[in-house]
Amino acid sequence: MRPRAPMPPVVVRFRRFTSLNTTIRLRQGKILVSLSDLLEGAPETVVRAIAHILLAKLYKKPIDAAQNLRYKRFAASATVSHQIELVRTARGRKRYFGPQGRYYHLEEVFDSLNARFFNGLLGRPELTWSEHHAKRSLGHYDAAHNTIVVSRVFDRPSSPRYALEYLLYHEMLHLKFPVRMRGLRRCVHPAEFKAEEARFPQLAEAMAFIRRL
Ligand SMILES: [Zn+2]
């Protein structure tokens, strides 16, 4: 946008806004950006669109229509508005049990999967073991709290590491591919999600273990 101007230092902060509030300011030669933490898990294309829009506003340049549409679509999607609603009502009310299990530490497993499958690019959400040894819900990504919850049934010596890895990998793909609306349908596991899931080397063994559970 200003090809001849030197690149100013940029400070980006995610803050606990309960809306998608985003601000950009130029202060003492620094670009200061505040983004809602609701945008932390947004796909990279959306983050790029936000960067474009903010810089265009800052430098009073025209906003690219495609970028604007990309951001507007994301912001307007039912998931995001639903998420905001949930955050408003539930933020701070939930109890978590933390990532340290008896046998596995979820942050350690997350970081190793992030390096192996995502080039280390996925932002780490809160990770927690479930309160009980739940078998009905083995894992889920709670978008309102940006938290992955994993059932404690995976935290025992009889549970192979690849089973836990597969479960966490699946939830990490939910971070990468947020739920979208296709017409009136929620598209939870789109084709690109399934294609990436199939890259997990011990998929068949992990599924077999989970079926036995
Ligand atoms: Zn899923």
Side-chain angles (χ1 to χ4, degrees):
M1 284 175 190
R2 296 180 68 197
R4 279 170 305 278
M7 170 86 166
V10 180
V11 181
V12 178
R13 285 191 309 169
F14 285 98
R15 297 177 51 186
R16 287 208 141 196
F17 293 132
T18 49
S19 72
L20 288 172
N21 271 359
T22 295
T23 64
I24 186 163
R25 290 176 303 158
L26 195 54
R27 280 286 145 79
Q28 290 157 346
K30 274 189 200 158
I31 294 182
L32 308 176
V33 179
S34 286
L35 297 168
S36 165
D37 60 356
L38 296 172
L39 294 169
E40 246 183 308
E44 193 190 322
T45 49
V46 174
V47 174
R48 281 177 179 275
I50 293 167
H52 170 86
I53 292 164
L54 289 176
L55 289 171
K57 278 186 179 159
L58 186 68
Y59 292 126
K60 301 193 168 51
K61 302 272 178 174
I63 293 173
D64 183 79
Q67 300 282 12
N68 203 28
L69 186 64
R70 186 166 294 143
Y71 172 68
K72 288 270 156 63
R73 275 215 188 109
F74 178 81
S77 77
T79 325
V80 173
S81 20
H82 179 59
Q83 206 168 302
I84 290 168
E85 215 38 61
L86 286 176
V87 170
R88 278 212 188 100
T89 55
R91 185 159 259 172
R93 259 201 246 150
K94 212 149 172 174
R95 225 149 64 81
Y96 284 121
F97 298 88
Q100 173 74 71
R102 272 170 187 254
Y103 301 97
Y104 298 111
H105 196 293
L106 291 174
E107 288 179 351
E108 182 272 313
V109 180
F110 181 99
D111 290 346
S112 77
L113 292 168
N114 201 7
R116 271 166 72 198
F117 297 102
F118 303 95
N119 297 313
L121 290 174
L122 228 49
R124 192 169 69 198
E126 297 288 319
L127 297 163
T128 183
W129 290 105
S130 65
E131 182 175 7
H132 304 293
H133 286 73
K135 287 192 179 166
R136 189 163 290 187
S137 169
L138 297 177
H140 70 278
Y141 171 57
D142 175 351
H145 295 85
N146 191 33
T147 298
I148 293 175
V149 183
V150 178
S151 169
R152 272 189 205 279
V153 293
F154 290 94
D155 187 32
R156 39 194 194 196
S158 59
S159 175
R161 183 179 167 102
Y162 64 72
L164 170 61
E165 283 183 341
Y166 163 70
L167 194 95
L168 203 49
Y169 179 59
H170 179 99
E171 300 309 324
M172 289 165 81
L173 289 174
H174 279 303
L175 286 179
K176 184 168 172 183
F177 302 107
V179 177
R180 285 192 320 239
M181 298 300 285
R182 187 183 288 157
L184 290 173
R185 276 189 50 224
R186 276 159 55 86
C187 186
V188 181
H189 301 120
E192 64 261 36
F193 181 110
K194 288 181 180 150
E196 283 210 31
E197 185 172 43
R199 288 172 52 212
F200 188 76
Q202 292 123 314
L203 184 64
E205 295 96 312
M207 297 295 266
F209 176 82
I210 285 168
R211 266 194 299 272
R212 286 199 298 277
L213 278 182

